[in-house]
Amino acid sequence: AIQLTQSPSSLSASVGDRVTITCRASQGISSALAWYQQKPGRPPKLLIYDASSLQSGVSSRFSGSGSGTEFTLTITSLQPEDLATYYCQQFYSLPHFGGGTRVELK
Amino acid sequence: QLQLQESGPGLVKPSETLSLTCNVSGGSISSSSYYWGWIRQPPGKGLEWIGSVYYGGTTFYNPSLKSRITISVDTSKNQFSLRLSSVTATDTAVYYCARPLTSVAYDAFDIWGQGTMVTVSS
């Protein structure tokens, strides 16, 4: 099974900061990676698919990049509503999620 | 607008079978070629994909749960279901149903139900 390792597991940032989250796959997955945002008590919300495609309706503050085994999610100019836990998911083979990154306010 | 809604018992006894249904509204489960999925999330933990079912009945499951899972689809009721047998406390979680972005076998999930909490306890 393809494993996904997210880093960091948590981070503290200030409003307006640029935030970067990394997701590493245990083997190459081409661009078959998605990013989700999850707030407490809510289902995950799809942000990015195919590693870099912005889901319809999602703020352009969010961007994704990478291919193969290393991927990043970037939030430019962090806003209070961006405080959440972020997950990556690979769909190159049977779906699997990363462990999550919690984004908190400094 | 397509919506998904999970339903089922909120409390299941250890060793028994957990049964959940996902009702699909705003669209027909059989008119679109999606692999409808189940995902779960233990309290305070991350997401775990459980398995997916095609409207025609084809399934694929998480290998770690495969021996205990049955996922089926009922096109006449526009719903799909999850059965997880021999449950233990480690199966306590919020269970989500979801629809993938496209009709390929493996994809991101863009439409989610609100989730239903299932507790395994005697």
Side-chain angles (χ1 to χ4, degrees):
Chain A
I2 299 174
Q3 301 298 316
L4 297 177
T5 303
Q6 282 186 238
S7 60
S9 57
S10 66
L11 65 89
S12 295
S14 300
V15 172
D17 282 353
R18 180 185 182 92
V19 171
T20 299
I21 299 168
T22 297
C23 180
R24 289 188 173 86
S26 58
Q27 64 188 75
I29 58 171
S30 186
S31 297
L33 190 100
W35 289 97
Y36 299 86
Q37 175 192 69
Q38 187 180 31
K39 298 181 179 180
R42 302 287 297 163
K45 174 186 176 182
L46 179 64
L47 301 175
I48 302 286
Y49 63 95
D50 292 346
S52 61
S53 296
L54 190 68
Q55 172 68 346
S56 175
V58 173
S59 170
S60 57
R61 293 196 306 278
F62 295 93
S63 64
S65 64
S67 68
T69 61
E70 187 152 338
F71 302 85
T72 59
L73 172 71
T74 300
I75 311 172
T76 58
S77 189
L78 186 74
Q79 299 300 302
E81 59 266 30
D82 301 334
L83 303 182
T85 300
Y86 293 84
Y87 294 94
C88 57
Q89 177 223 330
Q90 66 83 13
F91 48 92
Y92 184 81
S93 63
L94 294 176
H96 187 78
F97 293 87
T101 296
R102 184 173 179 177
V103 176
E104 301 173 323
L105 261 184
K106 187 180 293 182
Chain B
Q1 182 177 354
L2 193 80
Q3 292 185 318
L4 307 180
Q5 179 67 58
E6 306 87 352
S7 62
L11 181 64
V12 181
K13 290 182 168 56
S15 80
E16 295 190 344
T17 296
L18 178 161
S19 296
L20 297 174
T21 296
C22 181
N23 186 65
V24 179
S25 60
S28 171
I29 201 169
S30 58
S31 66
S32 46
S33 306
Y34 291 104
Y35 286 82
W36 305 85
W38 286 99
I39 297 102
R40 70 180 183 179
Q41 185 171 37
K45 296 189 178 180
L47 300 163
E48 179 181 34
W49 172 75
I50 299 170
S52 297
V53 62
Y54 188 60
Y55 83 96
T58 302
T59 55
F60 49 96
Y61 299 144
N62 185 324
S64 69
L65 299 168
K66 187 174 183 177
S67 63
R68 299 194 290 131
I69 300 172
T70 302
I71 298 177
S72 58
V73 61
D74 187 336
T75 55
S76 67
K77 295 182 179 179
N78 217 37
Q79 61 188 24
F80 60 105
S81 300
L82 167 69
R83 287 173 58 84
L84 178 65
S85 64
S86 304
V87 296
T88 70
T90 59
D91 295 309
T92 294
V94 175
Y95 285 76
Y96 295 101
C97 57
R99 193 206 76 175
L101 197 54
T102 70
S103 59
V104 300
Y106 308 143
D107 208 342
F109 295 97
D110 69 328
I111 300 177
W112 294 66
Q114 289 304 302
T116 188
M117 180 68 200
V118 179
T119 301
V120 178
S121 175
S122 55

